[in-house]
Amino acid sequence: IDRALKVYQRSMEEKYHRNPVPPVPQLPSTVRKYFFILTVNYLFMKKCVESNPVVPIPQQWLMSILTLVPQSLMKGKDRDLLTEKLLGEIIRDYEMSMRRFMVRNVLIKPDVKGLEDEDEAPLPLLPLGLDFSRPWHNSFIQAKNKILSNLHILHPTMKAVLDFGYAAFSTFLIVDFSSFRLKGPIDCESLKTDVLLSCSKAEEKILNTWYQRILGVFTQKDALNGVKPDQVDSLYNCVATLMSVQLKEVLRRTVEAFVKLFDTEDRNCLPLFKMELILDEEKMEFYPNFQDLEEAILFVVNCIGETLQNIQTVHSWLMGGTTTLDTELPDHVVVWATSTLKKSIRDNLEGPKEYFENYVERYGWLVDGTAHARVERFEAEEHSFDEYT
């Protein structure tokens, strides 16, 4: 401690006798005046550049941006207002970026005092994850050559399969749900029957139209023109993959359309189900009960998922094999549809449940034996005439 105190005392004495720090030299008035003029000129020129008119963003760009918005988000009572706000924000960002670009390309901000806090407005950065440097070029060429040699995306047969799929499935659904509401209240068994029949008819229609047209392409003599013998299998694999993707997309869109019927925020398309309040063995309950109703609704998803599951690949059909296309609905689609429907069913059945519980609370004692026991107990007791009355 004594040694530390001595060191501290010696350092303080040295600091006391140290020469004072010389003041910061002041710039000559002419230099300060020059810097001031330079700052004013830069701010004036920047204001002039920013005030120049900007070429407006083309209208087709805005329309292209709107097409990227999911259709489910383009509906609702405030759609027009939200769309206007979105386009306004895009236009403002576009004009701001153009003005920043003009300032950065026309002016150079001088390194003088007074402009430290002046925002130079840097140009927007490139999107994350995109590399526009040259080192990727060789790997890109290799990948492109591999795609051309294995995927056959430019082969005429692949284009034909794409065209057939677009023509057949662009607006097609396995089940037409638009008429569900118009049918009025429907019971669970009728729902299952109608869905089974619709799925069967849709599968038959697809096999007799889309599938036959594809088979017709590959039964022609020039179907494999330009395909080397060692690439035939890869071509058929590509065709099978493309057909699987098209069929899975139809099934997915059908499931999504069915789930959309139960949207709690839009009840205009909500299906109506026939339910009866019955008395069975001194017990009041709904028929079908809530569990049976849920199973009937989820049956529709399962029925759609089981459709189009036994379609042969083109190569298998030509060679007399048994290989079928992979058209199974992805697990995440099934899980999403099931969980969403269960939640929607619970929400939509809150009213019937409340009504049922209130009804049982008020009148259940009349049928569950309570009233009969009270009558028997009253008759077994001694009462006055007025009490009997």
Side-chain angles (χ1 to χ4, degrees):
I1 294 176
D2 294 337
R3 188 165 58 254
L5 289 174
K6 290 181 181 179
V7 172
Y8 173 75
Q9 185 178 4
R10 186 167 57 253
S11 63
M12 293 300 294
E13 291 177 355
E14 292 176 357
K15 182 177 180 181
Y16 178 79
H17 295 291
R18 187 180 302 162
N19 295 330
V21 179
V24 178
Q26 297 293 326
L27 295 174
S29 59
T30 55
V31 176
R32 293 200 303 271
K33 184 177 181 181
Y34 169 76
F35 284 165
F36 174 76
I37 296 175
L38 191 63
T39 302
V40 172
N41 287 342
Y42 172 78
L43 295 176
F44 174 75
M45 293 297 295
K46 179 181 179 182
K47 184 177 181 180
C48 293
V49 172
E50 290 180 338
S51 63
N52 284 337
V54 178
V55 179
I57 185 172
Q59 189 67 22
Q60 58 268 28
W61 291 11
L62 297 176
M63 295 301 101
S64 299
I65 293 174
L66 285 181
T67 58
L68 301 177
V69 180
Q71 290 300 315
S72 59
L73 301 180
M74 294 292 291
K75 298 180 181 180
K77 59 181 180 180
D78 298 331
R79 177 181 63 86
D80 295 336
L81 180 60
L82 293 176
T83 303
E84 183 179 352
K85 289 184 177 179
L86 173 63
L87 295 181
E89 184 177 346
I90 294 173
I91 293 174
R92 288 193 299 272
D93 289 345
Y94 170 81
E95 292 178 351
M96 184 182 300
S97 297
M98 293 297 292
R99 288 190 171 90
R100 289 176 178 178
F101 179 81
M102 289 191 297
V103 171
R104 287 289 301 273
N105 282 272
V106 173
L107 300 177
I108 298 178
K109 186 179 75 171
D111 186 13
V112 297
K113 186 177 180 180
L115 295 178
E116 298 87 353
D117 299 330
E118 182 68 21
D119 184 14
E120 196 177 6
L123 295 177
L125 300 176
L126 294 175
L128 296 177
L130 299 182
D131 183 9
F132 294 98
S133 58
R134 293 298 297 177
W136 60 267
H137 188 261
N138 293 335
S139 60
F140 169 77
I141 297 299
Q142 294 176 0
K144 181 180 178 181
N145 294 333
K146 191 171 183 179
I147 289 175
L148 293 176
S149 62
N150 291 282
L151 294 185
H152 311 281
I153 57 177
L154 300 180
H155 197 271
T157 55
M158 298 296 290
K159 182 179 182 302
V161 175
L162 278 171
D163 292 341
F164 295 158
Y166 180 79
F169 303 136
S170 58
T171 59
F172 181 78
L173 295 178
I174 302 297
V175 182
D176 182 14
F177 300 113
S178 60
S179 60
F180 268 37
R181 180 80 175 193
L182 301 177
K183 293 179 180 179
I186 185 174
D187 58 80
C188 294
E189 294 302 322
S190 298
L191 172 66
K192 293 180 179 180
T193 303
D194 291 348
V195 172
L196 282 172
L197 185 61
S198 297
C199 290
S200 177
K201 288 183 177 179
E203 183 169 347
E204 182 179 358
K205 179 180 179 181
I206 290 174
L207 290 176
N208 291 332
T209 55
W210 170 79
Y211 189 65
Q212 292 299 324
R213 294 183 69 182
I214 293 178
L215 294 179
V217 170
F218 287 92
T219 53
Q220 298 177 5
K221 295 181 178 179
D222 56 348
L224 301 179
N225 282 353
V227 181
K228 299 178 181 180
D230 59 342
Q231 294 181 336
V232 172
D233 290 341
S234 64
L235 173 64
Y236 282 122
N237 289 337
C238 291
V239 174
T241 300
L242 179 56
M243 294 171 66
S244 297
V245 169
Q246 291 176 339
L247 294 178
K248 284 183 179 182
E249 177 65 14
V250 174
L251 298 178
R252 183 192 63 80
R253 285 193 291 108
T254 305
V255 170
E256 288 183 352
F258 179 67
V259 174
K260 191 177 180 180
L261 295 180
F262 295 84
D263 186 1
T264 54
E265 297 182 359
D266 183 10
R267 299 175 181 267
N268 294 326
C269 299
L270 189 66
L272 303 177
F273 293 95
K274 187 184 299 182
M275 302 182 70
E276 300 176 352
L277 186 62
I278 64 172
L279 175 63
D280 185 18
E281 297 181 356
E282 299 183 353
K283 181 181 179 182
M284 285 191 298
E285 60 182 357
F286 275 122
Y287 177 80
N289 57 38
F290 297 141
Q291 182 64 32
D292 293 338
L293 179 62
E294 180 181 290
E295 291 177 357
I297 294 174
L298 296 180
F299 170 83
V300 177
V301 177
N302 296 330
C303 188
I304 295 172
E306 293 173 357
T307 308
L308 304 171
Q309 297 303 304
N310 295 307
I311 298 180
Q312 283 185 287
T313 63
V314 174
H315 197 199
S316 176
W317 185 87
L318 293 174
M319 304 301 295
T322 58
T323 306
T324 58
L325 296 172
D326 174 21
T327 56
E328 185 177 359
L329 270 174
D331 292 338
H332 72 274
V333 175
V334 178
V335 171
W336 166 81
T338 302
S339 60
T340 304
L341 285 175
K342 285 184 176 180
K343 182 181 182 304
S344 181
I345 292 170
R346 288 195 303 268
D347 294 342
N348 284 292
L349 287 180
E350 287 298 326
K353 282 183 178 179
E354 183 179 354
Y355 167 79
F356 174 73
E357 293 171 356
N358 181 57
Y359 200 85
V360 171
E361 181 182 355
R362 295 175 59 186
Y363 305 111
W365 65 278
L366 294 173
V367 297
D368 63 3
T370 302
H372 184 69
R374 290 175 59 183
V375 170
E376 288 184 343
R377 185 172 62 252
F378 183 82
E379 291 177 345
E381 299 171 349
E382 292 292 336
H383 296 279
S384 65
F385 179 79
D386 292 336
E387 290 173 338
Y388 280 123
T389 303

